[in-house]
């Protein structure tokens, strides 16, 4: 009986520590600036011709 309680407590502690570690390692990524760099600099972004053709095809319905 007591072994089951100890086992449940240990599994619960492990689960909480894994959850806490996940939050700890994700926080820096959540704080990053989500705007692309060229939005702040104002510099144009290179768009390959292949992507331009794809977007043009989507606009025209292929």
């Amino acid at each position: 009986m007591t072994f089951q309680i100890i086992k449940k407590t240990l599994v619960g502690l492990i689960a909480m520590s894994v959850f806490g570690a996940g939050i700890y390692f994700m926080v820096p990524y959540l704080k990053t600036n989500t705007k692309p760099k060229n939005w702040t600099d104002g510099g144009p972004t290179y768009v390959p011709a292949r992507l331009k053709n794809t977007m043009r095809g989507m606009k025209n319905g292929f």
Side-chain angles (χ1 to χ4, degrees):
M1 184 72 178
T2 57
F3 179 71
Q4 290 177 346
I5 295 172
I6 293 172
K7 185 178 175 183
K8 286 182 181 180
T9 306
L10 191 62
V11 169
L13 286 173
I14 291 172
M16 286 193 306
S17 19
V18 167
F19 185 71
I23 290 176
Y24 175 78
F25 287 113
M26 278 185 61
V27 164
Y29 294 107
L30 295 174
K31 288 183 178 178
T32 56
N33 187 2
T34 55
K35 289 184 178 179
K37 186 178 178 186
N38 64 335
W39 286 13
T40 56
D41 298 348
T45 305
Y46 170 72
V47 179
R50 183 175 174 186
L51 179 60
K52 286 182 183 178
N53 289 338
T54 304
M55 297 309 289
R56 196 175 300 125
M58 286 182 176
K59 190 169 29 174
N60 297 337
F62 290 97

